[in-house]
Amino acid sequence: MDHLEKRAKRWSLEEVREYLLQHDIRISAYRLKIFEYLINERTHPTAEEIYEVIKRDLPAISPATVYNTLRLFLEKKIVQLVSVEKNEGRYDATLSWHGHLKCLACGKVFDLHIETLKLDGLEGFEIFEKHLNLKGLCPECLKTKNFKREGKHG
Amino acid sequence: MDHLEKRAKRWSLEEVREYLLQHDIRISAYRLKIFEYLINERTHPTAEEIYEVIKRDLPAISPATVYNTLRLFLEKKIVQLVSVEKNEGRYDATLSWHGHLKCLACGKVFDLHIETLKLDGLEGFEIFEKHLNLKGLCPECLKTKNFKREGKHG
DNA sequence: ATACTATATTATAATCGTTATTAAATTATA
DNA sequence: TATAATTTAATAACGATTATAATATAGTAT
């Protein structure tokens, strides 16, 4: 249920390799896997979620590698940080301007297409980043009543 | 340089007291001080900044009290959390819908008036919170060149 | 007022996500 | 192949915040 692009084509490992090299990032098995996961799954995972997923294929991976790799990807500007929740960093390889909505029941983060945004009083400012973050409940959770009063979920 | 309201009237301690009581919050010297600071200064301070400020008048205060009080204010919904930076929580007693812009050079957080925001694909969702966070440079810092390449600042 | 109860506050330890450090492993280059 | 540079893993450290336990304060009932 991606609200940005109904179904983006999957990137091959060769395409990922090309993309990393183009962005001045040396290749390693971990880097290929991590970026491939981010760009193809687009679930805005946390570092820990990425660690768990990669570990299935490459059990020797360390959490530090995931953090280092994500930091590198941020520096090279091929992923963006999503901070819907203050205490959890999530990572998104889709760079086009869009918003995020976190469902407080199931924890999923959905992409939002922004039709228009007009701001007042920005004369003289220089803007580098824009982030629009919503919190609420997704249709699935509303339907299945997957929430309590004021329900929160990691 | 508040871009929301040029100059909001200051709240008296008596008004703060009333407001807290109306929101089911028992009165204490710390609570009065902390809310009075948030509502009258509107600088979106961190917990640590609040701690430093209150300590000038009430040196016995503990950081835990600031955190406890802010958590209470959040629960009672009389302040909102501003998360422009993932690693720092800031607090805002202005509840009307507005955005925030953090200057990466001086660290100040400015309020933004949002003229229009239209989103696509929200049918079936229930929205509780909306946060718009920008990062950039403020006019003052741009003028005084108070920044390096890619300058960041807490 | 006095005793009793509930709440607020402090000091401190613990937690969580993340970053820093260091040594070993890997990769690139001369 | 030797050498240098980079990547990785294990672990310690860090910073913001939360939990814990003991004390202080405030509210209520007698």
Side-chain angles (χ1 to χ4, degrees), chain A residues 10-96:
Chain A
R10 290 182 74 84
W11 289 38
S12 69
L13 270 187
E14 200 43 56
E15 286 170 304
V16 173
R17 176 189 301 270
E18 272 302 303
Y19 190 72
L20 295 186
L21 288 172
Q22 279 163 20
H23 288 83
D24 196 29
I25 295 170
R26 292 169 48 150
I27 302 304
S28 81
Y30 293 139
R31 291 173 178 183
L32 286 171
K33 276 266 179 196
I34 291 173
F35 191 83
E36 192 268 342
Y37 179 67
L38 285 170
I39 197 69
N40 283 335
E41 300 307 323
R42 296 170 191 252
T43 61
H44 320 87
T46 62
E48 206 209 325
E49 285 162 7
I50 295 168
Y51 170 69
E52 294 298 337
V53 167
I54 307 295
K55 203 166 56 162
R56 290 179 208 152
D57 282 12
L58 304 171
I61 193 171
S62 142
T65 297
V66 177
Y67 282 107
N68 287 340
T69 304
L70 292 170
R71 192 142 29 97
L72 176 67
F73 288 176
L74 285 174
E75 279 163 17
K76 299 298 188 181
K77 299 194 199 309
I78 63 168
V79 302
Q80 63 170 316
L81 183 63
V82 179
S83 311
V84 191
E85 217 76 71
K86 180 168 62 69
N87 56 322
E88 69 177 20
R90 293 175 172 274
Y91 297 85
D92 190 345
T94 303
L95 298 175
S96 60

